[in-house]
């Protein structure tokens, strides 16, 4: 799949704010080519001289539309993007590997994602690896049922069944399930390669290409323990929301590298509580993993962490929805 020369600075709108964002070049330093709306898209969108894209009021009032498609013409080619109606829930709760612990669904299954959506979590986290023949699969560990994902062909991995009878999900299938709604964001963790840094870079490229092909940019946030993977994501999709997991970089370092935020283990944040305030001052988001202790949940809620990743989304939802939390 050829890299499109243009992208958007944002992929969502609200009825209160119909401005989506600007058309921008993907490559740093490149000029944005002349762009215009396709005839069909001109019925739904406006594109100003400064390349700001805006949803028309009549299009935004269509109640059944969870997203609108815009087709932009540049350099004789057409490029399509989905603009999601931002009705994403804002309750801080991210289900770690989906909602599985109290539902019986396997971790990282499409069933666990669907449970997280039904619960009303703001996000559902999942993990992505690449088969030996470059197909993307969703699983936490590098191995499943004795198969090393990076060393196994996709056809063999496709035969693997999860305890609920699901096939081991591909990223494509997982995204398709997540795009059927606009309430819960998809928190995509790109796992560092166990083989090489170069393979990690190839994985990052394949993941971004899949998200772009599925037009899922408005739903997906990226996380990784490999900083170079996140830098690669930003190279390919400059407006992507990317957050770092490892914990050794300060908010100032993350801001300098145009990260969206940090997503650090609870022990790191408890050791450096001032990073929450510093991150917010730098317009970074704060996510903390994997928090199952109700006392630590309370500690983070008191300090206004933006997101808390947990295996106990039901418990955390009770806390954020209680009068005390408001």
């Amino acid at each position: 799949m050829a890299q499109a020369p243009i992208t958007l600075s944002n992929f969502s709108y609200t009825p209160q704010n119909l401005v989506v964002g600007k058309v921008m070049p993907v490559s740093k330093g490149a000029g944005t080519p002349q762009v215009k709306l396709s005839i069909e898209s001109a019925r739904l969108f406006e594109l100003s001289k400064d390349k700001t894209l805006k949803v028309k009021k009549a299009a935004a009032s269509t109640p059944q539309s969870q997203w609108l498609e815009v087709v932009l013409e540049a350099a004789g080619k057409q490029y399509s993007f989905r603009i999601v109606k931002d009705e994403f829930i804002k309750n801080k709760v991210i289900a770690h590997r989906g909602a599985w612990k109290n539902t019986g669904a396997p971790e990282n299954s499409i069933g666990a994602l669907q449970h997280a959506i039904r619960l009303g979590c703001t996000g559902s986290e999942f993990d992505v690896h690449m088969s030996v023949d470059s197909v993307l699969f969703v699983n936490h560990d590098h191995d499943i049922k004795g198969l090393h994902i990076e060393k196994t062909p996709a056809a063999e991995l496709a035969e693997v069944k999860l305890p609920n009878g699901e096939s081991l999900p591909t990223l494509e299938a997982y995204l398709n399930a997540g795009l059927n709604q606009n309430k819960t964001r998809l928190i995509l963790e790109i796992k560092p390669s166990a083989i090489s840094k170069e393979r990690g870079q190839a994985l990052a490229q394949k993941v971004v290409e899949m998200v772009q092909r599925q037009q899922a940019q408005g739903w997906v946030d990226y996380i990784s323990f490999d900083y170079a993977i996140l830098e690669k994501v930003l190279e390919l999709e400059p407006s992507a929301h990317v957050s770092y997991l490892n914990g050794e970089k300060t908010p100032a370092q993350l801001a300098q590298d145009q990260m969206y935020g940090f997503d650090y283990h609870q022990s790191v944040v408890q050791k450096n509580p001032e990073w929450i305030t510093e991150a917010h001052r730098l317009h970074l988001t704060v996510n903390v993993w994997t928090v199952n202790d109700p006392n630590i949940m309370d500690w983070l809620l008191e300090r206004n962490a933006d997101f808390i990743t947990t295996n106990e989304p039901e418990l955390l939802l009770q806390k954020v929805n209680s009068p005390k939390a408001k």
Side-chain angles (χ1 to χ4, degrees):
M1 173 182 168
Q3 174 77 31
I6 57 171
T7 186
L8 300 173
S9 63
N10 183 47
F11 292 87
S12 65
Y13 73 96
T14 67
Q16 297 75 34
N17 183 10
L18 300 179
V19 174
V20 177
K22 291 202 172 188
V23 181
M24 56 189 284
V26 171
S27 300
K28 273 187 180 179
T32 307
Q34 289 298 312
V35 179
K36 66 178 182 178
L37 292 166
S38 69
I39 294 173
E40 188 64 31
S41 292
R43 298 173 186 170
L44 305 174
F45 296 89
E46 300 170 7
L47 186 63
S48 63
K49 288 183 179 179
D50 69 352
K51 299 184 176 66
T52 297
L53 184 69
K54 181 179 180 181
V55 178
K56 287 186 174 179
K57 200 168 186 179
S61 63
T62 308
Q64 68 270 27
S65 293
Q66 293 175 337
W67 52 267
L68 300 169
E69 184 175 30
V70 62
V71 178
L72 298 170
E73 297 181 358
K77 294 185 178 180
Q78 291 190 335
Y79 303 96
S80 180
F81 304 94
R82 283 184 187 175
I83 310 303
V84 63
K85 185 177 184 180
D86 184 356
E87 296 178 331
F88 292 109
I89 296 163
K90 310 291 196 295
N91 62 16
K92 302 178 183 281
V93 181
I94 294 179
H96 183 233
R97 308 178 198 170
W100 56 272
K101 185 175 179 183
N102 303 307
T103 67
E107 299 177 10
N108 270 312
S109 65
I110 289 175
L113 167 64
Q114 291 168 336
H115 279 299
I117 292 167
R118 282 194 286 269
L119 281 172
C121 299
T122 195
S124 187
E125 183 265 356
F126 60 104
D127 309 277
V128 179
H129 302 264
M130 184 167 65
S131 69
V132 71
D133 46 357
S134 300
V135 176
L136 305 172
F137 285 89
V138 175
N139 191 62
H140 180 264
D141 295 341
H142 286 280
D143 300 83
I144 184 165
K145 295 192 174 180
L147 302 173
H148 192 292
I149 294 173
E150 290 190 82
K151 298 177 181 178
T152 304
E156 191 172 349
L157 292 167
E159 297 297 317
V160 172
K161 297 294 183 185
L162 303 181
N164 65 345
E166 279 184 41
S167 297
L168 180 67
T170 62
L171 176 59
E172 182 176 9
Y174 196 98
L175 290 176
N176 283 336
L179 295 179
N180 289 326
Q181 52 82 48
N182 60 342
K183 308 293 184 184
T184 299
R185 295 187 66 82
L186 308 178
I187 314 302
L188 193 165
E189 180 174 347
I190 305 177
K191 284 292 186 182
S193 170
I195 296 174
S196 69
K197 280 282 189 181
E198 291 74 20
R199 190 168 170 81
Q201 290 287 288
L203 168 60
Q205 176 137 357
K206 286 285 186 181
V207 166
V208 174
E209 287 175 353
M210 176 61 72
V211 170
Q212 292 172 339
R213 188 179 304 124
Q214 299 301 103
Q215 299 180 21
Q217 295 99 319
W219 284 258
V220 171
D221 292 350
Y222 298 92
I223 56 177
S224 185
F225 283 96
D226 186 328
Y227 207 70
I229 280 177
L230 296 177
E231 291 175 321
K232 183 66 173 179
V233 171
L234 285 174
E235 176 190 322
L236 299 168
E237 190 67 79
S239 62
H241 292 173
V242 298
S243 297
Y244 186 46
L245 290 167
N246 209 45
E248 84 282 5
K249 291 190 181 286
T250 66
Q253 290 173 302
L254 299 173
Q256 183 176 341
D257 291 335
Q258 299 181 315
M259 298 287 161
Y260 182 64
F262 67 69
D263 189 348
Y264 287 168
H265 188 264
Q266 53 190 305
S267 62
V268 174
V269 179
Q270 286 181 297
K271 185 179 178 181
N272 303 281
E274 71 281 1
W275 281 5
I276 298 175
T277 304
E278 185 182 350
H280 288 156
R281 181 177 59 80
L282 294 168
H283 308 292
L284 299 173
T285 58
V286 172
N287 192 355
V288 185
W289 59 272
T290 297
V291 184
N292 302 319
D293 184 324
N295 294 321
I296 300 176
M297 289 178 182
D298 290 338
W299 187 86
L300 291 166
L301 290 172
E302 287 167 7
R303 285 156 182 79
N304 200 31
D306 298 288
F307 308 107
I308 300 172
T309 299
T310 179
N311 294 327
E312 303 281 358
E314 298 88 350
L315 172 60
L316 185 54
L317 282 166
Q318 288 178 7
K319 288 181 174 293
V320 299
N321 291 328
S322 71
K324 180 182 175 183
K326 294 179 181 177

